[in-house]
Amino acid sequence: MTPRLILHGGRIRTMAPGVDGTVPAPTTAIAIAGDRITAIGEDRAILATRGPRTRAIDLRGRTVTPGFTDAHCHPPSGGLRRIQCDLDRAFTAEDNLAAIAAYAAAHPDREWIVGDGWSMETFPGGIPRREPLDAIVADRPVFLTNRDGHGAWVNSRALELAGITADTPDPLNGRIERDEDGTPVGMLQEQAMELVTRLIPPYDQATLEQAILDAQTELHSLGIVGWQDAMVGPAPAAAYRAVAERGALTARVVLALLSDDLDEFGGLDGFVAVRDAVAATARAAGPGALGAGRLTAGSVKFFVDGVLESRTGAMLTPYLDADGRPTGGTGISNREPAELNRLSIELDARGIQLHYHAIGDRAVREALDAIEAARRVNGPRDGRPHIAHIQVIHPDDLPRFRELDAVANAQPLWAVHEPQMDELTIPILGPERTTWQYPFGSLLRAGARMAFGSDWTVSTADPFPQIEVAVRRVWPEHRDAEPFLPSERLTLDEALRAATVGSAYVNRQDDAGWLGVGRLADLAVLDHDIDAPDAPPIGDTKVVATIVGGELVYEAPALEG
Ligand SMILES: [Zn+2]
């Protein structure tokens, strides 16, 4: 078949099994026809197959990699940032208040001021207060989730509308932060947020659809060809389906339906019904076809616990207080382990992938136990369960990832010394458990499969800063900082493999993830040769083109400029 597209004069990093680094010269070109790779080889042979309508792009020495799959992210939130109060770039309390005031002034018609992106280390103890918010917005309710989405800063009007007073008990799996006398300070943790969120008018479907499309544009510009949406309720599920069915979904997307919305989905069989309906539409469109053929919904997500900084992460032994002494608290398991096991067994039996949020060492163990329970009852099957975040792993549990074939779904960007880690996390963990954090190297040495997810919008979706942290354990912004647990570093190949092959495996994209003849033409063109001796640090890499199923879905002017 005459190729439609030829990329030549580059360096092809196929990431094929057993191939480390660049395929030995002269592998410089790749040919694409339809949605597949038809040849990989040297320029002269591949350019000889060019036809009159073939587009040939001279890579001028740049690297081509498989397209990236983000195994855990929240694209609708990313898209909604454009219409909400975005605090992502506010780094001090004053910055936050100025951004909120500007947003409120610019949107006098909004009944609610809703936003996210503030950082816990900006406020003493990670807890902002309602008074400064009241001083800017007194008449309208304000609800602002923090960067990790596990807590929210609210003003007095929001507390009043929700009826939250000194007498309101903490809800199950949540905490209302209070002064000594019980008065709410204006910070709600975990399920306490629900007391307010249930009052916020939901976004209509058209807004959600636009948010998904905006997010897709942004993710494609970063070399991302597909993702697993880690938190899909009924409304975003409907929006994704509408976007897919009208052919606008160019990415390959897996929806992880939210287990907390079990009732809204109509019980366990409701999850199956959504999965099967999406699959039937995909079959009708042609698997892999633009739009409907690229959406699946065969995963269910569990929040096993919260996060460490608010001491809602589930730990095997107690958190420490300011003097380094054990408190009574070991965090929150959002479900009884027996219940988590039961639901996991039932879903696995129905062929649904299990996707867990687990931060603390007890949460990781409970997720592994649930996977083990499903395996014991249902037998081993190709379920590809995965555990995201894996912040603290008890050393005894490291080998269980391989034994249970549970994928370690890592968010490498978090594995650094930064203010939240140094000022909030390390003091409450103490020295030993501090060294059990983000043990990516140990996981690979224990034979685990690894995937990468950004957890965008909690942190950037750009794969290259994440890869640099996985390799160096410092942020690209602070390259001279002390590396965080350097023995847990990965090699560049290991990191690239997790972000491509590993994440594609989680999403069951068995024809993608590495480049080979006959496989899907999902790939990214980088802005330079990342293996050159004078290459800039990997985190500075930019993508100049992204191809999904043989189609350019992103093209920077620099590609041929
Ligand atoms: Zn997440």
Side-chain angles (χ1 to χ4, degrees):
M1 208 183 329
T2 311
R4 183 156 43 103
L5 186 61
I6 288 176
L7 308 175
H8 62 95
R11 303 255 266 164
I12 316 293
R13 249 183 185 272
T14 65
M15 306 312 295
V19 179
D20 278 351
T22 310
V23 176
T27 305
T28 55
I30 192 161
I32 294 165
D35 65 351
R36 300 277 157 171
I37 296 166
T38 52
I40 299 179
E42 56 96 11
D43 279 15
R44 203 148 47 118
I46 287 189
L47 282 168
T49 64
R50 168 161 44 170
R53 276 198 287 276
T54 304
R55 180 176 174 191
I57 297 173
D58 184 354
L59 296 170
R60 287 173 288 158
R62 293 161 167 154
T63 300
V64 171
T65 63
F68 297 94
T69 297
D70 191 326
H72 180 116
C73 60
H74 306 284
S77 308
L80 286 171
R81 276 205 167 158
R82 286 165 199 253
I83 58 171
Q84 293 182 338
C85 179
D86 182 2
L87 301 174
D88 204 29
R89 270 163 230 94
F91 299 110
T92 63
E94 295 69 39
D95 287 353
N96 277 282
L97 292 168
I100 298 158
Y103 181 89
H107 298 92
D109 51 318
R110 295 259 153 90
E111 280 177 54
W112 281 76
I113 307 297
V114 175
D116 82 342
W118 59 272
S119 297
M120 293 175 77
E121 74 267 14
T122 310
F123 300 95
I127 300 175
R129 297 187 58 94
R130 67 193 146 79
E131 293 87 350
L133 273 186
D134 294 344
I136 335 175
V137 189
D139 52 335
R140 291 181 281 168
V142 179
F143 179 87
L144 305 161
T145 40
N146 67 14
R147 197 168 289 248
D148 64 30
H150 290 265
W153 179 18
V154 295
N155 68 348
S156 294
R157 183 74 185 125
L159 290 169
E160 184 190 336
L161 286 172
I164 301 171
T165 67
D167 301 325
T168 310
D170 284 348
L172 184 67
N173 300 341
R175 187 167 67 239
I176 300 164
E177 298 289 357
R178 304 166 195 268
D179 286 325
E180 301 261 300
D181 65 356
T183 309
V185 304
M187 172 76 190
L188 307 172
Q189 307 283 11
E190 300 288 343
Q191 287 303 308
M193 291 190 291
E194 260 291 303
L195 300 170
V196 174
T197 51
R198 64 183 178 211
L199 305 174
I200 302 174
Y203 290 105
D204 59 26
Q205 179 157 325
T207 304
L208 286 175
E209 289 177 28
Q210 191 55 48
I212 290 165
L213 291 172
D214 288 347
Q216 174 173 264
T217 302
E218 186 164 348
L219 294 171
H220 281 334
S221 77
L222 300 171
I224 293 167
V225 296
W227 62 81
Q228 183 158 144
D229 188 318
M231 197 167 76
V232 181
Y240 268 111
R241 290 176 69 180
V243 167
E245 282 165 25
R246 66 168 191 270
L249 193 70
T250 45
R252 303 185 199 278
V253 176
V254 175
L255 305 183
L257 306 178
L258 187 58
S259 65
D260 295 341
D261 289 347
L262 182 79
D263 294 337
E264 290 88 332
F265 277 109
L268 291 170
D269 291 328
F271 292 135
V272 175
V274 173
R275 182 213 36 207
D276 291 350
V278 169
T281 315
R283 263 196 309 281
L290 191 64
R294 295 190 180 171
L295 185 67
T296 60
S299 191
V300 165
K301 157 81 175 294
F302 291 93
F303 279 98
V304 182
D305 66 344
V307 293
L308 300 183
E309 301 75 29
S310 62
R311 287 170 282 115
T312 53
M315 298 298 297
L316 291 165
T317 49
Y319 289 104
L320 305 183
D321 66 16
D323 300 320
R325 281 189 296 262
T327 64
T330 57
I332 297 174
S333 294
N334 289 324
R335 288 176 195 278
E336 284 296 314
E339 174 69 357
L340 185 68
N341 291 359
R342 185 186 71 80
L343 290 169
S344 299
I345 293 166
E346 293 275 359
L347 289 165
D348 180 64
R350 288 165 171 80
I352 287 189
Q353 179 186 54
L354 303 169
H355 178 168
Y356 302 92
H357 160 119
I359 293 266
D361 53 5
R362 189 175 86 234
V364 172
R365 182 166 293 176
E366 286 171 359
L368 289 165
D369 288 348
I371 292 167
E372 188 175 311
R375 211 176 154 94
R376 197 166 52 235
V377 174
N378 301 327
R381 43 199 298 158
D382 185 24
R384 311 191 190 186
H386 54 127
I387 307 178
H389 309 329
I390 47 173
Q391 179 163 353
V392 187
I393 305 182
H394 190 284
D396 291 352
D397 289 321
L398 289 167
R400 298 179 72 200
F401 283 82
R402 185 185 61 77
E403 287 157 21
L404 297 168
D405 210 359
V407 182
N409 186 333
Q411 285 64 59
L413 201 77
W414 306 349
V416 294
H417 282 293
E418 40 81 33
Q420 181 162 310
M421 170 66 76
D422 293 345
E423 292 159 24
L424 297 177
T425 310
I426 289 176
I428 58 175
L429 288 182
E432 185 178 41
R433 293 181 296 183
T434 288
T435 64
W436 298 350
Q437 289 188 94
Y438 305 119
F440 306 144
S442 296
L443 280 163
L444 287 190
R445 289 188 286 275
R449 282 182 201 272
M450 184 167 287
F452 278 180
S454 66
D455 210 12
W456 187 57
T457 56
V458 175
S459 37
T460 177
D462 186 342
F464 288 97
Q466 299 171 54
I467 288 167
E468 179 165 332
V469 176
V471 170
R472 305 193 53 214
R473 309 276 288 196
V474 292
W475 267 344
E477 293 84 352
H478 304 281
R479 288 191 172 114
D480 52 356
E482 182 199 344
F484 182 70
L485 306 176
S487 64
E488 299 297 346
R489 286 174 178 153
L490 305 183
T491 66
L492 179 58
D493 271 300
E494 288 167 340
L496 278 169
R497 199 172 296 281
T500 55
V501 182
S503 297
Y505 173 85
V506 165
N507 271 7
R508 311 189 83 86
Q509 296 294 337
D510 292 344
D511 268 2
W514 54 271
L515 306 177
V517 172
R519 296 175 61 77
L520 283 169
D522 289 6
L523 45 94
V525 181
L526 315 186
D527 66 348
H528 63 272
D529 173 2
I530 60 173
D531 293 297
D534 59 346
I538 190 71
D540 293 351
T541 305
K542 299 283 177 243
V543 167
V544 291
T546 305
I547 295 173
V548 187
E551 299 280 355
L552 276 147
V553 293
Y554 170 71
E555 187 175 344
L559 177 62
E560 293 192 286

